[in-house]
Amino acid sequence: MKKILTLVFVSALGGIFTLGTYKLFLEEKQPVVIAAAAENPTFLPTTNTRPLFSAEDKIDFTVAAENTVNAVVHVKNVTLSKGTYTMQDLFSGRSSERAQTGTGSGVIINADGYIITNNHVIKNAHELSVTLNNNKTYTAELVGADEKTDIALLKIDADEELPFVTFADSDNAKIGEWVLAVGNPFNLTSTVTAGIISAKSRDLSGTSRQSFIQTDAAVNPGNSGGALVNTNGELVGINTAITSQTGSYVGYSFAVPSNIARKVIEDIMEFGNVQNGILGIQGGALNSMNAEKIGVPDTEGVYIDDVVADSGAEKAGIKKGDIIKEIDNIKVSKFSDLTGHLSAKRPNDVVNLIVSRDGDLKTIPVTLAKNDTFTMPLVGRIKDAKAKDLKKFKVTYGVKIAELDEQYAEYWKKNGIEEGCIITAINDIKVKNVEDVQRALRNKSRYEALRLEVINTNGDLERYNFR
């Protein structure tokens, strides 16, 4: 019996020892959790009930890219510049002229080989060539250019049917709309980048004469003259400029709207120069400060300070103090909204203005007049002469000097030439209007002297030769 009790005692003691060892060394300790009072999560309201793009409506750029890349070309411009005349040039009889090469992009706009690009891409060209996306190269002819809009038109005679891009209505382009920038900057075949339209009617000069489309699609040097297209592959603009302190793309690029570019090249093809329709008002855009100064409640629109005599605006009944709110159903917030739309119009086109007058809105149709003024190098602003102007100087043709260039005004006045005098010929070509002047200057060789015939204040014919 004693042995049995001893065995039970030893067994119990072993069990206690084993359990203690497990508790001490093997069993995992459970952390002590102190429960805090639960807080309700904060929810922010939103109108988005689904992802921005579902699988069904996801934007596809492939069609637009395929429709565009083969119609965007590489443009090469060879210019001649005067270098330093060395002794080696003297003894060898070589010219001091040196060839310089510039490059850019262009867009084929019809199957006949017409190509649109920037004026700054082809400026002062001695030779022009175009390389297609299939690496074929052609000599290009300059049909015409407009420095104001920075648009130029080239022509090539290709031995194949050329792909081309059709024009979109840039007035219908929306801020936030997807676009592609297509260029051929380094003759490496066309390159495509994507972005959105960031803004419209941008003026980079501060003169309110420009009206660019701004985009965040990457555009770098060499892309000038390339295509900005919508997701259908239609031409929305011609890529023209970037703003950057480094010279490389930093998120801002600008394109000439397709409506302006199209109008410019159509004018060049039909008339040989750009036909500008003039509204005939002087004024400025409103903001809080200007509105307070003038004493009007509007902070958007274009305030009319003056109406030009005999202009379309005057004939239509536009008055000083009117505020232009819309033009052809396009809202006018700043001056470039107005000038951008007018840049796509011609003389005798009718635009419908909505103006605010004494708090009432009025719809007024205005027939645009012909642009009869032009700023001429070395002279200043000239305009078509009226019959009474010609009669005063006893001539039957010529253009009138409306305002002398400040830099050369003293020279002209010393020679008896003042505002109101008549220019009758440029480089032996009679000029009867501003268009004749523009044509004569355009046809003058860059190395040719500028010869002017001017009637002075005494009615005498003077001849001037500028090199």
Side-chain angles (χ1 to χ4, degrees):
M1 183 67 181
K2 187 176 180 180
K3 290 182 178 180
I4 294 174
L5 290 174
T6 302
L7 181 62
V8 171
F9 175 77
V10 171
S11 298
L13 186 63
I16 293 170
F17 178 78
T18 302
L19 181 63
T21 303
Y22 171 77
K23 286 288 186 179
L24 182 63
F25 296 106
L26 300 178
E27 183 179 42
E28 293 183 4
K29 294 183 179 180
Q30 298 297 321
V32 178
V33 178
I34 301 175
E39 294 184 1
N40 292 327
T42 301
F43 295 96
L44 298 178
T46 177
T47 57
N48 291 330
T49 58
R50 65 181 181 87
L52 185 59
F53 296 116
S54 66
E56 291 78 17
D57 60 9
K58 185 171 61 175
I59 298 297
D60 183 3
F61 298 113
T62 59
V63 174
E66 289 172 0
N67 290 343
T68 310
V69 289
N70 291 317
V72 174
V73 301
H74 178 76
V75 179
K76 180 180 177 181
N77 170 15
V78 177
T79 61
L80 297 179
S81 62
K82 291 284 186 180
T84 304
Y85 202 77
T86 65
M87 291 297 293
Q88 187 176 4
D89 292 331
L90 178 64
F91 287 111
S92 64
R94 293 186 309 193
S95 169
S96 62
E97 291 182 334
R98 300 290 185 266
Q100 294 183 330
T101 301
T103 61
S105 302
V107 186
I108 305 173
I109 54 172
N110 68 15
D112 294 331
Y114 282 98
I115 297 170
I116 189 170
T117 185
N118 286 138
N119 176 69
H120 74 261
V121 171
I122 55 83
K123 190 174 182 180
N124 299 326
H126 179 69
E127 295 177 4
L128 284 169
S129 63
V130 165
T131 302
L132 308 185
N133 202 42
N134 61 10
N135 295 324
K136 290 186 177 180
T137 299
Y138 298 91
T139 299
E141 171 195 359
L142 176 61
V143 180
D146 180 51
E147 187 170 1
K148 178 182 175 183
T149 56
D150 200 12
I151 291 296
L153 182 64
L154 308 179
K155 175 73 166 64
I156 62 173
D157 293 323
D159 54 3
E160 59 184 300
E161 185 175 346
L162 297 174
F164 60 91
V165 179
T166 58
F167 283 88
D169 184 348
S170 54
D171 286 343
N172 292 334
K174 305 295 185 183
I175 295 175
E177 178 181 342
W178 283 102
V179 287
L180 297 180
V182 188
N184 195 322
F186 306 112
N187 203 14
L188 299 175
T189 70
S190 295
T191 301
V192 179
T193 56
I196 62 168
I197 293 177
S198 307
K200 296 175 66 177
S201 301
R202 285 295 198 214
D203 175 27
L204 304 183
S205 66
T207 63
S208 298
R209 296 175 184 172
Q210 297 177 334
S211 185
F212 290 114
I213 293 174
Q214 179 182 329
T215 174
D216 66 352
V219 173
N220 283 296
N223 283 78
S224 290
L228 186 72
V229 300
N230 58 25
T231 52
N232 295 322
E234 299 167 325
L235 192 66
V236 175
I238 299 298
N239 297 318
T240 298
I242 60 174
T243 56
S244 170
Q245 295 180 340
T246 64
S248 298
Y249 171 77
V250 292
Y252 303 95
S253 57
F254 302 88
V256 177
S258 59
N259 285 4
I260 296 176
R262 181 175 188 173
K263 184 259 181 185
V264 168
I265 63 172
E266 287 176 348
D267 283 355
I268 290 173
M269 293 174 71
E270 184 174 353
F271 304 104
N273 55 32
V274 178
Q275 307 287 299
N276 293 312
I278 304 301
L279 186 60
I281 60 106
Q282 295 178 352
L286 288 172
N287 53 37
S288 295
M289 184 173 63
N290 292 340
E292 184 178 355
K293 186 183 300 184
I294 297 170
V296 297
D298 302 73
T299 57
E300 288 186 309
V302 170
Y303 181 83
I304 298 177
D305 290 319
D306 195 15
V307 180
V308 178
D310 297 326
S311 66
E314 185 189 56
K315 293 175 181 177
I318 299 293
K319 296 182 179 180
K320 179 180 178 180
D322 286 349
I323 300 171
I324 300 175
K325 308 295 288 184
E326 290 185 13
I327 179 169
D328 291 339
N329 298 318
I330 297 173
K331 183 180 178 181
V332 175
S333 298
K334 49 190 179 295
F335 208 87
S336 55
D337 291 329
L338 181 65
T339 56
H341 187 72
L342 292 173
S343 294
K345 299 296 180 180
R346 297 184 178 88
N348 299 320
D349 283 351
V350 177
V351 295
N352 290 298
L353 301 182
I354 294 181
V355 302
S356 175
R357 181 182 296 171
D358 299 326
D360 296 327
L361 294 178
K362 297 180 178 292
T363 301
I364 303 176
V366 180
T367 301
L368 302 179
K370 179 182 176 183
N371 182 17
D372 61 354
T373 65
F374 172 68
T375 301
M376 182 177 173
L378 302 174
V379 177
R381 188 166 60 88
I382 63 171
K383 64 184 301 183
D384 290 353
K386 297 183 177 180
K388 63 180 182 180
D389 299 322
L390 299 175
K391 185 177 180 180
K392 177 182 176 181
F393 289 92
K394 299 178 181 180
V395 292
T396 57
Y397 63 90
V399 294
K400 177 182 177 180
I401 300 176
E403 184 180 358
L404 289 171
D405 187 311
E406 292 183 3
Q407 185 177 354
Y408 304 101
E410 184 177 351
Y411 167 81
W412 286 116
K413 289 178 179 179
K414 282 182 180 180
N415 287 276
I417 306 298
E418 296 182 353
E419 294 171 358
C421 289
I422 302 295
I423 299 174
T424 57
I426 296 177
N427 286 30
D428 305 322
I429 299 172
K430 294 180 179 180
V431 291
K432 299 178 181 179
N433 51 46
V434 167
E435 290 182 5
D436 288 344
V437 173
Q438 293 173 323
R439 191 176 300 111
L441 293 175
R442 189 166 56 248
N443 294 333
K444 184 184 79 68
S445 165
R446 59 183 298 214
Y447 303 112
E448 184 180 5
L450 177 63
R451 301 184 299 277
L452 303 179
E453 293 183 5
V454 188
I455 307 296
N456 65 18
T457 52
N458 296 323
D460 299 325
L461 178 64
E462 299 280 353
R463 292 182 173 86
Y464 298 89
N465 193 10
F466 297 96
R467 291 191 176 276

